[in-house]
Amino acid sequence: MFKLNGTVFMPSVLTLVGIPGLESVQFWIGIPFCAMYITALFGNSLLLVVIKSERSLHEPMYLFLAMLGATDIALSTCILPKMLGIFWFHLPDIYFDACLFQMWLIHTFQSIESGILLAMALDRYVAICDPLRHGIIFTHQLLTQIGVAVILRAALLVAPCLILIKCRLKHYWTAVVSHSYCEHMAIVKLAAEDIRINKIYGLFVAFTILGFDIIFITLSYIRIFITVFNLPQRESRLKAFNTCISTKLYCDVDVIVVLIVPNRRLRQRNVK
């Protein structure tokens, strides 16, 4: 790495600041982050064990929850250990290539989560709007195909972000990243060259994945709510809402195990 006209040519090492302006209290900020990380690991691991060991939970809704739990573990593991290393052990340096790899992993897992949420919304749409065909449509083979497609879509669409940075951007104003982890725009903004193509592609990926998924998730739940409100019996509407709400709550709460028991009992009552 050497400097030319005030710029750095291909820095081999980047420095992650952490939380700008709060460097003096980052040690204490790391405590709740660590607690949340441990909770996420424990809750999602318990979820995976329960779903794997309980054959009655080998259904699309719970298998999608297992996929989401595994992705959540991977995503948090990509971010939190390095972040805590910065907060607690003053280890801000990261190799440039390692930073790009972390960036790719983070955005890939975020995109995978978005794709799984879309698949969950479509699963609930078919289960409520066309329940007689749900078992025929959402087979284990289809679930496998959905999982592979979601992973490939995320990995292949995010990969060019890494390639564009590595191949196009050679000179950087600084090697200091004002962030706690390696994020696409945080790295791109360090460059002393034209970054319009990188910005445009980043927005393209965001709209293609997140925008597309949000639109179809919204449409699915609108159609679900219309169908539920048109059900003649109040008890049927409550059961349908319980199924949808329990799926949606996982997006906000990592400890989803508390949702398994009520849904399992509801299913047993339906069988009876």
Side-chain angles (χ1 to χ4, degrees):
M1 180 179 71
F2 62 90
K3 292 188 177 182
L4 179 65
N5 296 329
T7 63
V8 180
F9 180 78
M10 290 298 295
S12 58
V13 177
L14 296 177
T15 301
L16 295 169
V17 171
I19 303 178
L22 297 176
E23 290 84 357
S24 61
V25 294
Q26 285 184 158
F27 177 86
W28 303 107
I29 295 176
I31 295 176
F33 275 103
C34 182
M36 288 188 291
Y37 179 53
I38 294 173
T39 302
L41 290 181
F42 176 77
N44 285 296
S45 299
L46 184 58
L47 169 68
L48 294 176
V49 170
V50 171
I51 292 178
K52 179 177 175 58
S53 60
E54 190 69 44
R55 291 187 60 85
S56 62
L57 299 180
H58 293 181
E59 299 178 0
M61 173 180 172
Y62 299 101
L63 293 178
F64 282 133
L65 286 175
M67 294 180 193
L68 201 59
T71 306
D72 191 37
I73 291 174
L75 179 59
S76 58
T77 302
C78 289
I79 299 174
L80 266 300
K82 180 58 181 178
M83 184 183 295
L84 295 177
I86 298 171
F87 291 172
W88 288 349
F89 305 109
H90 306 291
L91 300 173
D93 293 340
I94 183 172
Y95 287 108
F96 185 79
D97 291 339
C99 188
L100 292 182
F101 183 61
Q102 185 194 44
M103 179 201 77
W104 179 76
L105 287 177
I106 290 173
H107 292 301
T108 297
F109 286 128
Q110 287 175 337
S111 302
I112 290 174
E113 281 194 339
S114 176
I116 295 173
L117 290 174
L118 173 60
M120 292 170 68
L122 295 177
D123 169 64
R124 292 301 86 200
Y125 169 78
V126 176
I128 293 176
C129 299
D130 196 0
L132 297 179
R133 297 183 58 195
H134 180 263
I136 300 175
I137 296 175
F138 279 89
T139 62
H140 285 276
Q141 181 181 0
L142 178 62
L143 295 184
T144 302
Q145 294 172 347
I146 290 175
V148 172
V150 166
I151 293 172
L152 289 178
R153 182 190 71 160
L156 295 178
L157 280 176
V158 176
C161 292
L162 184 152
I163 297 172
L164 287 172
I165 293 176
K166 188 70 175 178
C167 298
R168 291 191 70 253
L169 306 180
K170 302 296 184 182
H171 295 87
Y172 294 79
W173 294 114
T174 179
V176 178
V177 182
S178 299
H179 220 296
S180 302
Y181 56 88
C182 297
E183 188 265 337
H184 178 247
M185 286 309 302
I187 300 174
V188 168
K189 289 180 179 179
L190 303 179
E193 302 175 60
D194 186 5
I195 60 174
R196 282 179 295 179
I197 294 178
N198 299 76
K199 286 184 175 181
I200 291 172
Y201 187 78
L203 292 174
F204 168 75
V205 172
F207 179 78
T208 302
I209 295 179
L210 299 179
F212 175 87
D213 292 351
I214 290 173
I215 290 173
F216 278 88
I217 289 173
T218 303
L219 292 176
S220 296
Y221 276 100
I222 290 175
R223 187 69 183 87
I224 287 171
F225 288 145
I226 292 174
T227 303
V228 170
F229 282 123
N230 288 333
L231 292 175
Q233 297 180 351
R234 183 174 179 272
E235 183 179 355
S236 300
R237 291 197 295 269
L238 291 176
K239 289 181 179 180
F241 271 126
N242 181 66
T243 303
C244 295
I245 292 173
S246 63
T247 306
K248 281 284 287 178
L249 281 177
Y250 186 81
C251 307
D252 305 312
V253 183
D254 287 316
V255 188
I256 188 62
V257 179
V258 295
L259 297 176
I260 293 177
V261 176
N263 279 313
R264 188 177 170 190
R265 290 174 180 169
L266 174 62
R267 189 174 61 255
Q268 290 173 345
R269 287 200 301 267
N270 290 339
V271 172
K272 293 178 182 179

